Amino acid sequence: MIHGIGTDICDVRRIQATFERQGERFAHKVLSDAEFAVWQKRSARWPQRGVRFLATRFSAKEAFSKAIGLGMRMPMTWRHCEITNLPSGQPVIVLHGELKTWFEAQGLRAHVTVTDETDYAASFVVVERD
């Protein structure tokens, strides 16, 4: 049974502007430690690719927060929600801390997809109840 659906579209230029103002502090706020390591590698090779990575993660976490019905309030936090990829490339949501505990207690399961183009990143999340 579907518990919730969330979608988000993010202007990559807005993420770029925020990053230019706040620097790595913004990336640390939004990304988990594992995501931050990926972001650093991508940014080192091609800075714009790093910005798009940051935008897709921002978008996916916003969509997830909408799908679970909490928005950005506890136990939902940027860093407790991680978007990673399976070896096939499929994006998946990995939760940590209080958010993971809450999510599992609700009997929920999430599916995510992300995409980006030059100026926009978009995400769609479906959360099911077991």
Side-chain angles (χ1 to χ4, degrees):
M1 171 190 296
I2 293 178
H3 171 81
I5 299 171
T7 188
D8 190 75
I9 187 165
C10 177
D11 190 326
V12 175
R13 296 163 295 191
R14 190 179 116 226
I15 296 297
Q16 175 74 43
T18 303
F19 178 74
E20 287 172 2
R21 281 191 317 274
Q22 298 182 15
E24 283 192 8
R25 187 178 60 158
F26 177 63
H28 273 293
K29 176 183 175 185
V30 173
L31 303 174
S32 70
D33 292 339
E35 290 170 321
F36 189 82
V38 172
W39 172 79
Q40 284 182 309
K41 288 179 188 173
R42 290 186 181 192
S43 295
R45 290 184 55 202
W46 186 27
Q48 193 56 36
R49 189 170 178 220
V51 170
R52 285 204 294 270
F53 177 84
L54 185 55
T56 58
R57 274 35 191 185
F58 184 95
S59 174
K61 293 173 187 198
E62 284 281 335
F64 178 75
S65 74
K66 294 170 185 176
I68 61 173
L70 293 178
M72 283 300 183
R73 64 180 203 273
M74 293 301 285
M76 176 63 197
T77 69
W78 293 107
R79 294 179 48 81
H80 283 160
C81 179
E82 181 178 322
I83 313 302
T84 190
N85 297 87
L86 298 177
S88 66
Q90 177 186 352
V92 292
I93 297 174
V94 177
L95 303 176
H96 304 282
E98 294 174 37
L99 181 58
K100 179 179 181 178
T101 302
W102 176 86
F103 192 78
E104 290 174 353
Q106 303 295 314
L108 301 176
R109 174 175 59 179
H111 308 278
V112 62
T113 187
V114 299
T115 189
D116 66 274
E117 283 297 325
T118 304
D119 294 333
Y120 298 98
S123 301
F124 190 78
V125 174
V126 175
V127 173
E128 296 178 298
R129 184 176 304 279
D130 290 333

